[in-house]
Amino acid sequence: MRTAAKAALALFSVIILIIGAGAWYVWNGMKPVQGQDKPTEVTIEHGTGTSAIADKLEQQGVIKNAMLFKLYLKYNNQGSSFKAGEYAFEPSSTYEAIIQKLNDGEVIPVETVRVTVPEGYTIEQIAADLSEQGIVEKAAFLQAADKIAKSKPEGITLNLPKPNDQVKHGLEGYLFPETYEFAVGTSAEDMIIRMIKETEKRLIEIPDFDEKLQARKMNLQELLTVASLVEREVVVDEERALVAGVIYNRLNKPMRLQIDATIQYALDKPKERLYYKDLEIDSPYNSYKHDGLPPGPIASPSIESIKAALSPEASDYFYYVTKKDGTQTHLFAKTYDEHLRNIEKSKQ
């Protein structure tokens, strides 16, 4: 009996030791990692599973044991809400602190820069503005824009125009004028893609956009071209649809558009004042010498100009001239003689 008792006692002692060792292993494995003197940065990519996240946390020294972390998550029904991003885990972070941070998406704040694309700006003006602010080199931005225009990258679903040798910049008119916030160091290509996606988003928000475009028997390139002309010609929103109507009246007559803004776009540098010799410039954008629309947009049109081009105001007007009274509104005319009288009237 004594032998049996001793054997039982020995077995019990072994079991106690095993349980104790196991408990110590779990307790020690779940303890925060010691010895760190600064936060540990860990990047969790989109689509990374909970198991892979635990492995990465162990590999980068945030936790001691990935297996125990996985068991802890399963027991506490956690891990399904972890968010991707770049995290900084403080020294000696507990399981609870790590889980809370991953659930909340408490990522490292990204340093950003605000970029404003004004309405009516050309791609070259956008590039020059970004360069002056030290955000991206002008040449790099223009090269990226022309590259995207020739070979549309993944992620862009907007129907971009086919390459055309007559077009100055293939993406002219497709970079939506808006204020954007980019992470510092964002590439020119990523900035441009974001601006194109904003254009698509704004077009989709216009009720019955596709139906209205088809009704006008136009493609997107032609619509944005008209919108860009309106943008460069009109300041007062109330006149946008009326000026768009004048443009369509001229196109349907047919008669040349003779819009000064197309000359300004064709020139190497815009001028304060155009001269008659400027109207002779050899360019497909010269609406004084060529019939129909220019080969592409001449600026980034606002949403109001796009809506005006899509739904112009019907009238019998073929001419307009800017008033010189500071209101930036126009005088409209049905005939050329009336237009000449309006020119004189505008000077008063």
Side-chain angles (χ1 to χ4, degrees), residues 19-137:
I19 292 174
W24 181 88
Y25 175 79
V26 173
W27 172 80
N28 185 64
M30 292 179 63
K31 284 180 63 178
V33 176
Q34 302 298 323
Q36 303 178 96
D37 57 359
K38 62 181 181 179
T40 301
E41 295 185 3
V42 179
T43 300
I44 307 299
E45 305 290 348
H46 286 282
T48 305
T50 304
S51 179
I53 291 174
D55 291 338
K56 177 171 275 193
L57 292 176
E58 180 186 340
Q59 291 164 9
Q60 297 191 219
V62 177
I63 60 176
K64 291 182 177 181
N65 191 305
M67 182 186 71
L68 291 177
F69 188 68
K70 295 173 191 177
L71 291 173
Y72 184 89
L73 293 174
K74 189 171 183 179
Y75 180 78
N76 290 281
N77 196 27
Q78 292 282 357
S80 61
S81 300
F82 287 174
K83 297 174 177 62
E86 188 172 351
Y87 293 85
F89 295 99
E90 296 297 327
S92 303
S93 291
T94 64
Y95 277 13
E96 291 79 6
I98 294 169
I99 292 168
Q100 187 69 46
K101 181 166 285 195
L102 290 169
N103 279 335
D104 294 344
E106 190 182 324
V107 297
I108 299 172
V110 178
E111 186 180 358
T112 61
V113 60
R114 293 175 71 85
V115 171
T116 298
V117 177
E119 297 171 350
Y121 257 37
T122 66
I123 279 185
E124 294 197 8
Q125 287 176 311
I126 296 170
D129 202 32
L130 293 175
S131 181
E132 287 176 7
Q133 296 177 56
I135 297 171
V136 63
E137 290 295 329

